[in-house]
Amino acid sequence: MCGIIGYVGHRSASKILTDGLKCLEYRGYDSVGIAVLNGQNLEIRKDKGMVADVSSGSRFDSLSGSIGIGHSRWATHGGVSKENSHPHSDCTGSIAIIHNGVIENYQELKSSLLSKGHKFASQTDSEVVSHLFEENLKQFPTPLIAFSKTISALEGSYAIVLLSKSSPDVLFLARKNSPLVVGKGAGENFCASDFSALLTYTREFLVLEDSQIATIDRDSIALYDLLLTPKTPSFLTIDWDVQTAERSGHPHFMIKEILEQPDVVSAAFSADVSQVLPLLEKFEKIHIIASGTSYHAGLLFSILLNKYKSGKFANVFIASEYQNQVLPDSNALIFAISQSGETADVLQALRYSTSPHKVCITNTQGSSITRLCSHSIYLNAGPESSVAATKTFLAQLCVIYKLLFGDRYRDSIRSTILASTKHSAKIQEFSKSIITNRFIFFLSRGLCLPLGFEGSLKLKEISYLHSQAYPAGELKHGTLSLIEKGVCALFLAPKTPDATKLFGNLKEVKARGGTIFTLTDDPSFKSESDMSLDIVPQTDPLLYPFSFVVPLQLLAYYSSVSLGINPDRPRNLAKSVTVE
Ligand code: M6R
């Protein structure tokens, strides 16, 4: 969702801000803007649209100055328009602010500011911040105190960066429930909503914690709590390199990220799970919490725990429903799975849980989820830029298998993934038939059930084709009424003991005129299919889920590309979903 970038130093701020906004594009946005301060000249340029168009159309490059802020907005309060784009200013044009999150008490603050004569230029919740700071500057002796008073008045979630003529060399930062990091340079400093925008400049980062304030100028970084008590900043080094965050000759990030998965297996299996194994041994009751693709990894985790680890009672929860479905339970071991570590639904579920034992499985060091958990397991998958989760999903599965079975299956999994990446051309061809269908069911059973859900989500997410996943045996309890000529069902059909039942489900669809597609290593499925891809290597039944990971990702990718859609940036979606 919204992206933040800030710079103070000796170089042209507009260039660094524009480049940073390009790096943040993967988060999803609908408008962009920057503010640059040069002495006492504060200029804001912004509009709805993509970074390349707005930055050239509004001549970002013509702004001189070496301190500034930039923002990409994903609309929540107020429509997609130039006025609602960030940065927002005050009544005098002396202040510029950018904000991610939601100011929940903005209406109350706005009414009070309106009664004091403030004029608002947008419909956003964010604009109250600049006017409130303007008001506080009149009342408090220093800009820093005025900033802390402003932040203390806000309710909700925020990552805020403020630039003011009153302190022309300083950026003011604050964070609560929305990520904000400071990047440390030499004679220059940076801030951003995530590391990836700053990897060209620095690897040393300070991750702001909730209810902290920071100021950065070109030579120093100061950290405070809301009462302005100084705090000692502790920096972490991020070892992601810029290249892994670039497309490296591939047409899209998604295909690059799919193809680098053989290496992801090795990296994910190197995760340190030693602190978590004793907990997994000890606890009977396990709650797994996640959203979207991570939920599908969690679903497989829960099936494996219940079926292959005796004495375990695992439940998987869609994060946004966790509070609606259980009472807080301090006797449950919690696993929260989130590649970004910033998914608001997951964070909220973790806050709700009273368990002292919370383990997160995440790809992002220093992310909010790590602060809410007693233990963190890192996926080591490197940066994932495409909105569609691919390599982080595989890494999640690898970490789950490592937790349950140690390194026993690492090499077989790697071979399966490597073999699957070689089937690109066949899957591309297959996708041409898939996209001619108006409705596609993904049907599967057993350990491959979560893969059916994931394949369907991936397809609809980036190709906009209507698709739905079902446990194949459930179809006859209602959904079978939708099957008729022209409706397509894709079966994930590994040669397992469950294959006979799945085969029966296939016949049910076929008898009603449905078109049958299969991904299978089983000849009987092949002969009953309208189209079949024999790209599923025979393997240990426990490992069949891995046989489908890459084919389903490639199927979604090529469907998207054939339909002329940019798979990296599906409409309406964001990489990091920081609102509930
Ligand atoms: O960062 P998270 O793993 O918590 O993200 C959860 C979902 O938003 C995410 O997996 C989403 O479903 C993906 N874009 C799917 O490809």
Side-chain angles (χ1 to χ4, degrees):
M1 297 197 151
C2 311
I4 279 181
I5 172 106
Y7 175 75
V8 50
H10 47 82
R11 300 193 241 183
S12 156
S14 66
K15 164 100 179 74
I16 288 172
L17 300 176
T18 309
D19 291 348
L21 289 172
K22 284 183 188 148
C23 290
L24 291 168
E25 283 194 296
Y26 78 94
R27 295 172 68 93
Y29 68 103
D30 44 57
S31 39
V32 285
I34 64 171
V36 176
L37 184 60
N38 192 2
Q40 283 298 295
N41 183 29
L42 177 65
E43 276 217 54
I44 295 178
R45 304 266 167 94
K46 60 184 189 176
D47 213 338
K48 61 181 179 185
M50 300 290 100
V51 179
D53 300 332
V54 178
S55 62
S56 65
S58 304
R59 293 295 317 273
F60 283 8
D61 61 348
S62 67
L63 297 183
S64 57
S66 49
I67 180 166
I69 55 180
H71 190 264
S72 53
R73 173 175 189 251
W74 189 86
T76 55
H77 291 61
V80 178
S81 67
K82 180 171 179 171
E83 305 74 60
N84 290 337
S85 311
H86 297 218
H88 293 291
S89 196
D90 63 324
C91 299
T92 63
S94 306
I95 297 159
I97 69 102
I98 51 179
H99 163 233
N100 288 358
V102 177
I103 309 292
E104 285 166 6
N105 59 337
Y106 84 99
Q107 273 167 326
E108 188 187 317
L109 293 171
K110 191 169 174 174
S111 310
S112 147
L113 287 159
L114 284 169
S115 70
K116 291 179 181 143
H118 286 261
K119 300 262 180 296
F120 281 75
S122 78
Q123 291 84 52
T124 64
D125 53 333
S126 311
E127 197 187 340
V128 293
V129 180
S130 43
H131 291 276
L132 191 55
F133 180 73
E134 177 191 3
E135 197 59 31
N136 285 336
L137 265 184
K138 296 177 202 158
Q139 290 180 38
F140 296 100
T142 68
L144 180 58
I145 299 176
F147 185 67
S148 79
K149 296 289 178 196
T150 303
I151 297 303
S152 303
L154 306 178
E155 287 167 17
S157 59
Y158 49 79
I160 288 170
V161 187
L162 180 145
L163 176 61
S164 165
K165 287 185 189 175
S166 59
S167 297
D169 306 317
V170 180
L171 292 180
F172 295 89
L173 282 56
R175 170 216 158 118
K176 187 179 163 206
N177 295 342
S178 189
L180 189 57
V181 301
V182 175
K184 189 176 178 185
E188 57 185 353
N189 285 308
F190 309 80
C191 62
S193 43
D194 63 63
F195 308 122
S196 60
L198 302 179
L199 289 173
T200 323
Y201 313 108
T202 182
R203 300 293 149 81
E204 251 195 296
F205 290 97
L206 162 69
V207 181
L208 259 67
E209 290 186 20
D210 282 348
S211 305
Q212 283 189 332
I213 283 177
T215 56
I216 61 173
D217 60 29
R218 54 182 288 175
D219 298 313
S220 64
I221 296 166
L223 189 65
Y224 308 91
D225 65 15
L226 283 183
L227 299 172
L228 294 181
T229 314
K231 299 276 154 196
T232 310
S234 93
F235 290 86
L236 59 90
T237 305
I238 297 292
D239 55 10
W240 291 354
D241 62 49
V242 187
Q243 252 190 348
T244 10
E246 284 171 351
R247 274 196 280 131
S248 318
H250 292 281
H252 302 103
F253 279 110
M254 185 175 177
I255 189 69
K256 172 182 177 266
E257 288 159 5
I258 291 173
L259 296 178
E260 65 196 22
Q261 289 181 104
D263 292 340
V264 168
V265 176
S266 319
F269 267 95
S270 72
D272 181 4
V273 298
S274 57
Q275 308 279 310
V276 176
L277 289 176
L279 294 175
L280 197 53
E281 209 48 52
K282 181 174 150 200
F283 279 82
E284 282 189 353
K285 195 192 290 180
I286 295 164
H287 287 181
I288 302 161
I289 301 166
S291 307
T293 290
S294 299
Y295 171 82
H296 299 143
L299 179 59
L300 183 59
F301 193 16
S302 75
I303 297 171
L304 290 166
L305 276 165
N306 290 322
K307 182 118 175 118
Y308 293 92
K309 293 275 159 189
S310 64
K312 301 291 171 205
F313 303 98
N315 276 302
V316 59
F317 296 88
I318 290 196
S320 57
E321 288 298 324
Y322 187 63
Q323 302 180 56
N324 302 332
Q325 295 182 355
V326 287
L327 288 169
D329 185 345
S330 29
N331 294 319
L333 171 62
I334 309 289
F335 278 92
I337 310 178
S338 170
Q339 71 79 22
S340 63
E342 300 294 348
T343 299
D345 291 329
V346 177
L347 301 181
Q348 204 46 45
L350 283 170
R351 289 188 195 102
Y352 172 75
S353 162
T354 50
S355 170
H357 301 289
K358 296 177 186 151
V359 181
C360 66
I361 301 178
T362 183
N363 200 34
T364 317
Q365 282 182 60
S367 55
S368 304
I369 202 172
T370 62
R371 285 147 207 279
L372 291 170
C373 288
S374 54
H375 297 78
S376 303
I377 302 176
Y378 291 104
L379 298 172
N380 302 324
E384 186 177 70
S385 298
S386 178
V387 166
T390 54
K391 61 176 179 171
T392 53
F393 174 64
L394 173 66
Q396 289 165 349
L397 299 189
C398 292
V399 163
I400 288 163
Y401 272 65
K402 172 145 184 156
L403 279 167
L404 296 173
F405 311 112
D407 287 336
R408 198 181 318 158
Y409 295 116
R410 183 191 52 206
D411 296 343
S412 315
I413 292 171
R414 191 174 187 282
S415 310
T416 302
I417 297 299
L418 186 62
S420 316
T421 56
K422 311 255 190 282
H423 293 305
S424 269
K426 285 186 193 166
I427 297 169
Q428 187 168 13
E429 205 46 42
F430 190 70
S431 71
K432 290 183 187 150
S433 305
I434 289 284
I435 61 172
T436 60
N437 292 281
R438 62 184 162 83
F439 195 106
I440 301 138
F441 283 107
F442 281 66
L443 300 173
S444 52
R445 298 179 81 112
L447 291 184
C448 291
L449 188 63
L451 272 294
F453 285 123
E454 175 57 9
S456 170
L457 174 70
K458 207 100 302 170
L459 185 71
K460 69 183 123 195
E461 180 181 18
I462 60 170
S463 74
Y464 315 153
L465 291 169
H466 190 177
S467 155
Q468 200 162 357
Y470 265 93
E474 182 65 10
L475 212 59
K476 58 186 177 292
H477 298 292
T479 312
L480 202 57
S481 63
L482 291 177
I483 303 290
E484 59 179 348
K485 207 165 164 12
V487 175
C488 156
L490 174 65
F491 285 84
L492 310 191
K495 203 167 181 343
T496 60
D498 219 13
T500 351
K501 287 187 186 155
L502 189 71
F503 191 69
N505 302 140
L506 178 152
K507 293 291 242 177
E508 289 157 13
V509 175
K510 197 170 168 141
R512 284 152 186 90
T515 310
I516 308 288
F517 290 90
T518 48
L519 297 179
T520 189
D521 56 348
D522 188 331
S524 48
F525 276 86
K526 204 172 172 193
S527 59
E528 289 291 331
S529 305
D530 293 286
M531 196 165 182
S532 177
L533 264 194
D534 183 9
I535 52 165
V536 180
Q538 288 207 342
T539 183
D540 185 312
L542 210 55
L543 299 187
Y544 269 120
F546 290 94
S547 303
F548 295 98
V549 170
V550 174
L552 292 171
Q553 294 169 349
L554 287 172
L555 182 63
Y557 173 75
Y558 286 118
S559 300
S560 170
V561 172
S562 301
L563 290 164
I565 295 164
N566 178 352
D568 285 343
R569 299 211 208 102
R571 66 187 179 201
N572 307 336
L573 297 175
K575 180 72 180 163
S576 188
V577 185
T578 50
V579 292
E580 281 181 76

